[in-house]
Amino acid sequence: MDSTIKQYFSKEYWKELLIDFWHALGTKKFWKEFVVINLGIMIGAAAVYYFLMPSHLIIGTISGLSIVINTLIGGNADTFSYLVMGINAVLLVMAFLLIGNEFGAKTVYTAMILGPLTQLCDKIYPYVNLTHKVVENPEVLAQLKAGIAVLDANGNPYRFQTLEDYIGVEGINWQDEAFRPTWSQSHDFSIRGGDKSTQYLASFSHFDEDGIFTNSGFRKNTARLKLDRQIFKWMRLSATVDYTNTLTTGVGTGGGMLAGILMYRPTGGVLTSDYELRYNSVDPLVDILESSSDYSYNPLVNAEKTQKDISQDRWNAYASLYFQLGKHLSFRTSGNYSIQTSRANLFYKEGTSSADRGGGPYGDSKTRRYMRYGITNQLTYNRTFAKKHRLQATLGHETTYEMDQEVYGQAKSFPLDDLGTDNLGLGAMPAAVTSSKSDKRRLSFFGRVFYSYDDRYMLTATVRGDASSVFAANYKWGCFPSFSFAWNMSKEKWLQNANWLSNLKLRAGWGMVGNDRLRNYLSLELYNSQKYGQGSQQMTVLNPLHLANPNLKWEASMT
């Protein structure tokens, strides 16, 4: 077992923890935070009770635990890293609000706050860092070996003359600078109820989290409405509407960001201060020594000065009507609609490595809109003859449509970076502007017949015709039949007394399946555009990209 973990099983550790806890109870900071948070909980609960609930209220609160731990650890987060992970993950607040009224409605509200959750690598002290990465000036190294003190420009000896002089120097803890204890909160609210003919549900949830890494976070809101209504004895309505909104911010730790933080030198050393090293966009030694390396850019400043956010909105709606047209005949029509919009913004401010290499602040924005809808109609005949003969026949029709749009813009050489991607027109040079749109249609007709005799012998036959817009003009349609036969041997008299066998069915079938999941417009001749300069004018030229394929048709697989 790791030595760090072993300490949590020792009596001395828990004795010291209780002593620290006792001392924390005597601090103003602890009681101030404890009173403020619990007072907020009581006010919030009272407001919800007063405005939303005429009926009984049940509320439970668990609080103070994370406050105690945070007060105890103070700046000594390394000692309590495992403790923070384990204990601070519990709920800070949980409240259940239950309402019952004469209409049978039930309202449920749940709230929880979690955190902080952080686990860091061991800190790399300047002495350890320099032991693994010693880069000495040959002249300075010769002076040190000869026992001659190294002097600065004013003739004063530098603070650090040997490697051992770095022992005990704290330097910059880049992990503490980059990562932070974070809190996440979740709120869920729902109402459901109804009677024999009508059932309804409405819900809303909110999740919010400050990212562990600097300048990052995540937020999500979801809402749902659902209704089931028996309009008449022979007609039933079902409808559902969902909405989701998400926002993700920050560049994250990918793309070498985490490696850059762990490998960036932890102290200013002889020629610069820790403050300059922390807040300069580029390592100060680059200018002093007129040299550079892969890690000369400050990764933390890069993350702080890079604005990145991705927002998404999604609507989904579904509705169906069911008609009982007779004792054996029914009809169902249903429709679905989905639309998703997203926007991804990325902007590099002055001082980032990308802005330095790109000639100044620049950014881009991409907007996407995806829409899909479908309609399905289905007529079903279901009847049992002479108790043993069961027949089910279905006729159906289905149509779907998909559309995808994108707009992308990039601009460079911004005179100022205050507005970011909110105004790409400030850029002196539009680097790229593109847009695209594609759509796809599909039309289907299908039929299915199922026959069963005494639940022993079953025969199924299906045929469907599909048309898709992705294929050539003369090959839009495809026909795909299938059939199967099944024998439920467990129903035979000679197997009914076989206690060792629960079920035995023999099934054989054959069928064809079509595939139209291809890129749009492959049956057409495609071009791309390029721009060329001719004198003082810019010309747009179309170049062949893809030859037409007039024989593009359905891909059918047989099973």
Side-chain angles (χ1 to χ4, degrees):
M1 185 183 295
D2 186 84
S3 59
T4 308
I5 301 178
K6 285 184 178 180
Q7 65 172 324
Y8 301 120
F9 294 90
S10 64
K11 294 181 180 179
E12 293 76 11
Y13 172 79
W14 290 104
K15 181 179 178 181
E16 183 179 351
L17 181 64
L18 291 175
I19 293 174
D20 289 341
F21 175 70
W22 179 258
H23 290 161
L25 293 177
T27 61
K28 293 182 180 180
K29 178 183 177 183
F30 169 81
W31 290 108
K32 182 179 179 180
E33 294 182 357
F34 184 83
V35 170
V36 169
I37 290 183
N38 281 278
L39 184 61
I41 293 170
M42 289 187 289
I43 294 175
V48 172
Y49 177 78
Y50 181 80
F51 290 106
L52 299 180
M53 290 183 238
S55 306
H56 60 276
L57 169 68
I58 302 175
I59 181 168
T61 302
I62 302 174
S63 63
L65 183 56
S66 288
I67 305 170
V68 173
I69 300 303
N70 286 325
T71 305
L72 292 180
I73 64 174
N76 193 18
D78 293 335
T79 306
F80 290 89
S81 59
Y82 289 98
L83 189 62
V84 171
M85 287 179 58
I87 298 180
N88 282 13
V90 300
L91 305 177
L92 175 62
V93 180
M94 176 181 285
F96 298 96
L97 307 177
L98 305 175
I99 304 177
N101 55 39
E102 62 273 18
F103 299 104
K106 290 185 178 180
T107 302
V108 179
Y109 171 77
T110 305
M112 65 176 64
I113 301 177
L114 303 176
L117 301 174
T118 57
Q119 183 180 14
L120 305 178
C121 301
D122 293 336
K123 177 182 176 181
I124 302 177
Y125 289 89
Y127 176 76
V128 177
N129 178 271
L130 293 174
T131 301
H132 293 284
K133 294 169 56 180
V134 176
V135 180
E136 299 279 5
N137 186 305
E139 297 180 1
V140 174
L141 184 61
Q143 291 180 2
L144 292 176
K145 290 182 177 181
I148 302 174
V150 182
L151 306 179
D152 60 17
N154 299 320
N156 301 317
Y158 284 116
R159 174 187 174 189
F160 304 109
Q161 295 290 328
T162 65
L163 189 61
E164 283 69 24
D165 290 340
Y166 285 94
I167 297 177
V169 175
E170 289 291 329
I172 302 174
N173 190 333
W174 288 108
Q175 294 184 90
D176 282 348
E177 296 289 334
F179 299 97
R180 57 189 177 182
T182 183
W183 294 88
S184 64
Q185 54 178 311
S186 174
H187 303 271
D188 299 275
F189 181 81
S190 65
I191 302 176
R192 67 170 65 234
D195 51 27
K196 292 183 179 180
S197 62
T198 304
Q199 294 82 43
Y200 61 87
L201 167 68
S203 64
F204 175 80
S205 64
H206 170 78
F207 178 82
D208 198 348
E209 180 180 49
D210 291 329
I212 295 177
F213 189 64
T214 185
N215 197 27
S216 65
F218 177 75
R219 187 185 67 205
K220 182 178 182 180
N221 295 305
T222 59
R224 188 181 194 194
L225 294 173
K226 185 177 181 181
L227 174 67
D228 286 306
R229 170 70 175 171
Q230 189 75 42
I231 302 175
F232 303 106
K233 186 177 180 179
W234 48 271
M235 180 190 293
R236 186 170 188 86
L237 169 68
S238 297
T240 303
V241 178
D242 294 313
Y243 171 73
T244 303
N245 166 262
T246 60
L247 176 63
T248 306
T249 58
V251 295
T253 56
M257 181 66 70
L258 183 59
I261 290 173
L262 294 177
M263 300 183 67
Y264 209 61
R265 62 192 187 98
T267 181
V270 173
L271 301 179
T272 62
S273 65
D274 289 353
Y275 182 87
E276 292 176 302
L277 182 64
R278 165 61 181 87
Y279 293 102
N280 276 26
S281 301
V282 181
D283 192 328
L285 287 182
V286 171
D287 295 328
I288 296 174
L289 301 180
E290 298 182 354
S291 64
S292 63
S293 66
D294 293 338
Y295 300 101
S296 59
Y297 287 96
N298 189 323
L300 193 53
V301 174
N302 256 335
E304 293 171 341
K305 292 188 175 184
T306 300
Q307 292 181 344
K308 181 180 180 181
D309 60 85
I310 303 173
S311 60
Q312 291 184 334
D313 290 277
R314 179 192 294 256
W315 287 92
N316 292 311
Y318 171 83
S320 69
L321 275 173
Y322 176 80
F323 301 88
Q324 189 66 47
L325 302 179
K327 185 178 180 180
H328 307 292
L329 190 63
S330 64
F331 175 74
R332 180 187 296 275
T333 180
S334 61
N336 61 81
Y337 179 82
S338 176
I339 184 169
Q340 178 181 335
T341 59
S342 63
R343 180 173 177 176
N345 298 317
L346 181 61
F347 192 84
Y348 299 101
K349 291 187 173 184
E350 188 73 44
T352 61
S353 58
S354 297
D356 188 21
R357 298 188 182 108
Y362 75 93
D364 58 61
S365 182
K366 180 179 180 180
T367 302
R368 179 174 182 257
R369 181 176 182 265
Y370 173 79
M371 185 267 288
R372 182 184 188 278
Y373 69 80
I375 299 174
T376 303
N377 300 300
Q378 191 169 303
L379 182 67
T380 303
Y381 178 81
N382 194 344
R383 186 171 183 180
T384 301
F385 303 88
K387 296 183 179 180
K388 292 187 177 182
H389 301 272
R390 182 187 171 197
L391 176 65
Q392 185 182 78
T394 301
L395 289 176
H397 154 265
E398 185 178 43
T399 180
T400 60
Y401 174 77
E402 296 179 49
M403 186 269 294
D404 200 348
Q405 288 179 303
E406 286 188 0
V407 177
Y408 173 81
Q410 184 188 75
K412 294 185 176 182
S413 302
F414 279 73
L416 50 89
D417 54 20
D418 298 47
L419 298 180
T421 55
D422 292 338
N423 189 354
L424 290 178
L426 285 178
M429 181 176 61
V433 178
T434 61
S435 63
S436 64
K437 178 182 178 180
S438 64
D439 60 0
K440 176 180 177 181
R441 292 176 173 84
R442 185 171 178 177
L443 177 65
S444 304
F445 296 94
F446 56 89
R448 179 178 180 269
V449 176
F450 171 79
Y451 171 77
S452 171
Y453 173 75
D454 198 23
D455 286 337
R456 284 188 292 169
Y457 311 108
M458 287 153 279
L459 180 65
T460 303
T462 302
V463 62
R464 63 179 297 137
D466 297 297
S468 178
S469 61
V470 302
F471 299 114
N474 297 327
Y475 296 96
K476 301 289 188 186
W477 285 93
C479 184
F480 309 101
S482 67
F483 67 87
S484 65
F485 172 78
W487 177 21
N488 192 351
M489 301 173 66
S490 304
K491 295 288 185 177
E492 299 293 344
K493 293 181 179 180
W494 43 275
L495 270 180
Q496 289 182 353
N497 295 326
N499 298 327
W500 53 272
L501 184 65
S502 59
N503 185 49
L504 179 62
K505 180 183 286 188
L506 180 65
R507 187 177 184 276
W510 174 90
M512 296 179 65
V513 179
N515 177 30
D516 68 339
R517 288 173 291 185
L518 303 175
R519 205 156 44 89
N520 282 342
Y521 315 123
L522 291 181
S523 64
L524 306 176
E525 189 171 3
L526 302 180
Y527 295 85
N528 65 357
S529 62
Q530 288 184 328
K531 296 183 182 298
Y532 294 95
Q534 184 176 5
S536 60
Q537 294 182 343
Q538 189 179 61
M539 308 292 292
T540 301
V541 178
L542 297 180
N543 296 321
L545 178 65
H546 182 274
L547 296 178
N549 183 359
N551 298 317
L552 187 65
K553 58 184 179 180
W554 282 87
E555 175 187 333
S557 58
M558 198 177 302
T559 58

